[in-house]
């Protein structure tokens, strides 16, 4: 794994996104966690963390957080990608899946 400057949270997010593309959602969660140490209120980071935790652990609580944060993510394409990753988790409640798909369709 590459080392990044601790204050550059966007590099951590880029690395997390690469890990997610590879299917390693646990690694993505860890990298987002490192970024959040530096920018804990950053909406995009918080949404990415929620999406990757949902996918890694099937967490409905994190899916709910993603549903709350996603409308505030400034880039629709990235928001849709996060939702897509989250929905790849198994055994999510159908009402949450429908709500997440509605977020994607609203763009």
């Amino acid at each position: 794994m590459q080392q990044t400057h601790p204050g550059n949270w966007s590099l951590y997010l880029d690395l997390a996104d690469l890990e997610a593309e590879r299917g390693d959602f646990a690694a993505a969660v860890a990298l987002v966690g490192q970024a959040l140490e530096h920018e804990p209120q950053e909406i995009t980071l918080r949404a990415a963390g929620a999406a990757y935790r949902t996918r890694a652990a099937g967490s409905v609580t994190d899916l709910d957080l993603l549903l709350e944060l996603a409308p505030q993510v400034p880039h629709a394409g990235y928001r849709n990608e996060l939702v897509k990753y989250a929905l790849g988790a198994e055994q999510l409640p159908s009402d949450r899946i429908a709500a997440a798909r509605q977020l994607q369709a609203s763009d």
Side-chain angles (χ1 to χ4, degrees), residues 5-75:
H5 185 276
N8 196 343
W9 64 266
S10 65
L11 286 178
Y12 286 109
L13 181 58
D14 291 343
L15 292 171
D17 293 341
L18 287 172
E19 292 296 341
E21 286 177 22
R22 294 180 186 137
D24 189 346
F25 291 96
V29 167
L31 286 162
V32 169
Q34 289 178 327
L36 284 167
E37 290 176 14
H38 305 286
E39 287 293 331
Q41 298 306 314
E42 172 58 45
I43 294 295
T44 301
L45 279 177
R46 294 177 60 213
Y52 297 152
R53 286 188 305 274
T54 299
R55 180 65 177 265
S59 170
V60 176
T61 301
D62 283 309
L63 181 55
D64 287 342
L65 179 59
L66 177 61
L67 293 173
E68 176 186 325
L69 296 173
Q72 300 171 59
V73 173
H75 302 288

Side-chain angles (χ1 to χ4, degrees), residues 54 57-60 63 86-97:
T54 299
S59 170
V60 176
L63 181 55
L87 291 181
E90 295 182 15
Q91 300 182 353
L92 295 173
S94 60
D95 63 327
R96 304 311 200 301
I97 292 171

